[in-house]
Amino acid sequence: MTGSPRSAEPDRGIAGRRGAGACLALALAAGLVFATGARAEDVDVPYSSAYDSAFRARAEGLPIRLVDVVCRDIYEPVPPGRFAGLYRVANRLHVRTRPLETQRILRDFEFLEPDTVRSRIVGDSVDVLVGTRDQWTTQPEVNLERGGGRTYGSIGFTEQNLLGLGVGLEFVFREEPTGHTHSAEISARRILGTQLEGRFKAGTGTGGVTNTVLLRDPYRSLDDDRAWTTGLWRSSVDQMLFRDGQLSAKFPFESKQVALEWGTGERRSDGVVRRFTAAFGLQDRHYGPTRPEPGEPDLFAGGEEDLDLRWLSGRITLWRPRFIERRGIEYFDPIEDYDVGRLVSFESGLILRALGSTANEGLVRLRLEGGHVTRRFGFGMARARVSSRVRGGPRETLAHLDARWVQQPARDVAIVFAALGQAADRAPREVQYVVGGLNGLRAYPVQELAGTQVWRFNAETRWVAARNVWDVTSVGGAVFFDSARAWGTAGAPEPWHLDAGFGLRLSFPHASLHQVARLDVAFPLSPTRDGRRSPVFSFGSSQAF
């Protein structure tokens, strides 16, 4: 494929199936801009950069006549200068992507950066120009932390767009205090030219084996009228339990889970997306006897146990989306999409012995999401979910809260506050929340805190010092404060752990994942278990929280 524009007629098959009017084979989201009455602000004036509200009003609701798709290479045009030869080599090594869909949906693909979505009225129809720029899709993943004289973390390789087909490959090796694992994953969208998406993942190591198979036809727009998902998850592992920052006990754990879901939905005239999902679920668990480590007290007692769950459930979701665009928060270079709308999702079901369950029970799940935007003080988001089985009272109740507030006092500066809370009541034996050097408590070992209740708070100021240096990298920095506390079945409640530090940030604008490589130095403000207060160096291929 070359960089010349291509045209595409509307795909009548997709339009008929999705009920979205004149949808497009190569630019589905571009068609949805008009055909489904999406926001007029998403469309520019006839192939120009002007902004004409009268044009938008006239274009709203008109059918799509054709779409011009312009796929640009990673460096197009090639920047002049002494590195021009390297840029040309990068273009030649890269396999061009086939023409695809538009802005917010295109950003979900990660290997494409939408440059332009413009339109022009032709008679009683609209022509749409979709311009995309390919991203460099082959890149490493590194997430390391050093503690106790050893280095832990993960090293991997990711390809997001194999042969330009949108197929993803990932290979990861992880080294943890509990042992090592290696895993491989392959994922794809539009399998064999259909709308299907799939994922297969397999992992093995000193702790056991895991497998995941997922096939789905998801909602791709706010107006899609149906979706379905089928998935299988299997694992056979030695489950690890921690206390006082070290391994305390382990037990054999096997789990098999199957999920089948079918959903239907609509977007109402008031902007609320309403969806209903019917589901069948299966989960079989086998627990072996818990074995304490030498010298450890027997705080996690448990013997052989089997639990079989089969359920039928229904889920109602009401969602009023409100997407905003920001830059320089989680990543340096790309536009980031945040939904600050509101969502309520409630699921109820029956776990039935007649289907093979251990006992008759009820099933309840609740999910809440919401956001808020201010003119001067930034925006915030909060997500909460609670689930429980009910038999003579609640059991295995699990709760999760994730909230953050972001303020950008300047274009290249972001102040991020984050809170994470997790809690379990009458929890399954395998449930234990762990906080440490690899997930937001940077001056402490990897499994520093563990329990069935955890709070973690983070504050970080991030800034971009220089963008797209030599058309290769963007450079920035950060200062941060971390705090966390855990308590639960692992023994006495842990005190608050506090640290502060600073770091270097590097981003690669033409890489598909847009990950920010970080190099941090963290100082414990409360002493570690061995009494040290020396700085801890950590390196990762993504933000710490």
Side-chain angles (χ1 to χ4, degrees):
M1 141 130 207
T2 67
S4 60
R6 289 179 177 248
S7 300
E9 294 297 329
D11 187 327
R12 305 296 179 184
I14 296 177
R17 182 184 158 216
R18 294 295 183 180
C23 295
L24 308 172
L26 300 179
L28 174 62
L32 290 175
V33 169
F34 291 111
T36 67
R39 296 184 309 166
E41 289 82 358
D42 290 341
V43 184
D44 290 333
V45 192
Y47 292 10
S48 72
S49 59
Y51 194 81
D52 182 357
S53 58
F55 166 78
R56 295 199 317 273
R58 289 185 292 122
E60 184 88 14
L62 293 180
I64 304 296
R65 188 183 71 147
L66 61 83
V67 173
D68 289 338
V69 180
V70 181
C71 295
R72 301 181 179 89
D73 221 324
I74 298 175
Y75 297 104
E76 187 176 331
V78 174
R82 55 185 172 179
F83 295 107
L86 294 177
Y87 302 140
R88 293 190 184 95
V89 170
N91 284 342
R92 291 192 182 100
L93 291 176
H94 168 72
V95 178
R96 272 188 181 270
T97 302
R98 287 149 176 77
L100 281 169
E101 309 167 332
T102 115
Q103 296 200 316
R104 181 167 55 85
I105 296 178
L106 277 174
R107 286 194 284 268
D108 288 341
F109 281 89
E110 295 182 331
F111 55 82
L112 289 173
E113 181 68 19
D115 281 351
T116 307
V117 178
R118 294 176 182 167
S119 54
R120 63 185 175 195
I121 295 176
V122 180
D124 60 354
S125 302
V126 174
D127 292 353
V128 178
L129 171 68
V130 181
T132 68
R133 185 178 300 277
D134 278 4
Q135 302 289 304
W136 187 257
T137 60
T138 305
Q139 53 194 355
E141 173 190 328
V142 181
N143 201 358
L144 303 175
E145 194 270 351
R146 187 167 181 81
R150 293 185 59 188
T151 299
Y152 305 111
S154 62
I155 298 176
F157 160 88
T158 300
E159 166 57 53
Q160 289 290 102
N161 190 23
L162 183 67
L163 301 177
L165 298 173
V167 175
L169 288 177
E170 181 180 82
F171 301 93
V172 179
F173 175 84
R174 291 182 175 86
E175 179 70 29
E176 300 175 335
T178 57
H180 65 268
T181 61
H182 48 273
S183 63
E185 177 180 335
I186 182 170
S187 59
R189 302 188 184 189
R190 296 186 60 85
I191 298 174
L192 299 177
T194 70
Q195 298 295 317
L196 299 181
E197 299 179 4
R199 180 164 68 99
F200 174 76
K201 183 176 182 179
T204 185
T206 56
V209 297
T210 59
N211 294 283
T212 298
V213 179
L214 182 68
L215 183 66
R216 65 176 188 165
D217 186 4
Y219 296 109
R220 289 175 184 79
S221 79
L222 304 181
D223 297 274
D224 272 5
D225 59 0
R226 70 177 185 266
W228 59 264
T229 298
T230 178
L232 168 67
W233 298 263
R234 296 179 63 101
S235 63
S236 178
V237 300
D238 280 336
Q239 189 69 38
M240 311 294 181
L241 299 172
F242 300 90
R243 185 184 75 92
D244 294 337
Q246 62 184 7
L247 181 64
S248 179
K250 65 176 66 173
F251 62 89
F253 177 62
E254 297 179 9
S255 175
K256 177 177 71 174
Q257 185 170 348
V258 174
L260 302 173
E261 293 189 350
W262 179 87
T264 182
E266 64 174 353
R267 180 166 58 165
R268 303 188 312 198
S269 59
D270 60 0
V272 174
V273 178
R274 180 174 56 188
R275 289 170 178 169
F276 173 78
T277 303
F280 168 76
L282 174 155
Q283 186 178 31
D284 294 339
R285 307 182 205 161
H286 172 74
Y287 299 86
T290 301
R291 306 183 302 273
E293 291 294 290
E296 283 290 308
D298 191 5
L299 298 175
F300 303 97
E304 294 275 351
E305 180 184 356
D306 288 287
L307 179 65
D308 297 333
L309 304 173
R310 311 282 191 277
W311 66 87
L312 297 171
S313 66
R315 181 170 66 248
I316 297 176
T317 301
L318 298 176
W319 174 33
R320 184 186 292 275
R322 182 188 175 190
F323 289 99
I324 61 174
E325 296 179 351
R326 296 293 186 269
R327 190 189 295 267
I329 299 175
E330 297 300 319
Y331 309 109
F332 277 10
D333 304 292
I335 294 174
E336 304 172 43
D337 298 291
Y338 293 94
D339 180 12
V340 293
R342 298 177 181 179
L343 180 146
V344 178
S345 180
F346 178 75
E347 182 176 2
S348 180
L350 294 175
I351 301 171
L352 300 173
R353 182 177 290 173
L355 296 177
S357 301
T358 301
N360 291 322
E361 299 178 318
L363 174 69
V364 178
R365 293 170 179 161
L366 176 66
R367 178 175 153 222
L368 301 172
E369 297 183 6
H372 184 65
V373 180
T374 69
R375 287 183 175 272
R376 296 181 56 189
F377 301 108
F379 69 97
M381 301 173 296
R383 298 178 174 88
R385 62 178 184 268
V386 180
S387 65
S388 182
R389 291 167 36 219
V390 181
R391 175 160 54 104
R395 59 181 60 207
E396 295 192 356
T397 301
L398 308 177
H400 177 96
L401 172 66
D402 186 2
R404 60 183 55 209
W405 189 269
V406 179
Q407 185 177 9
Q408 292 184 282
R411 185 177 70 93
D412 292 328
V413 178
I415 304 173
V416 183
F417 301 94
L420 173 69
Q422 295 174 295
D425 181 59
R426 301 184 68 179
R429 202 189 315 174
E430 74 275 11
V431 172
Q432 187 182 60
Y433 306 115
V434 178
V435 178
L438 292 181
N439 61 348
L441 195 61
R442 280 165 274 193
Y444 297 90
V446 176
Q447 278 92 13
E448 177 70 7
L449 300 177
T452 53
Q453 287 86 40
V454 165
W455 276 110
R456 191 197 73 202
F457 298 96
N458 303 90
E460 185 167 285
T461 299
R462 305 165 179 170
W463 65 88
V464 182
R467 293 186 183 275
N468 213 13
V469 179
W470 298 322
D471 282 295
V472 173
T473 184
S474 298
V475 182
V479 293
F480 57 84
F481 172 81
D482 305 323
S483 63
R485 182 174 183 254
W487 63 99
T489 58
E494 296 275 7
W496 281 100
H497 286 51
L498 312 174
D499 70 49
F502 58 90
L504 173 69
R505 301 291 185 266
L506 296 173
S507 174
F508 303 96
H510 299 291
S512 64
L513 296 182
H514 297 293
Q515 290 176 318
V516 175
R518 61 177 180 87
L519 179 62
D520 288 332
V521 182
F523 300 84
L525 303 180
S526 52
T528 59
R529 301 181 193 279
D530 58 7
R532 69 171 177 82
R533 290 183 180 270
S534 56
V536 175
F537 297 89
S538 63
F539 175 82
S541 58
S542 61
Q543 301 286 6
F545 63 91

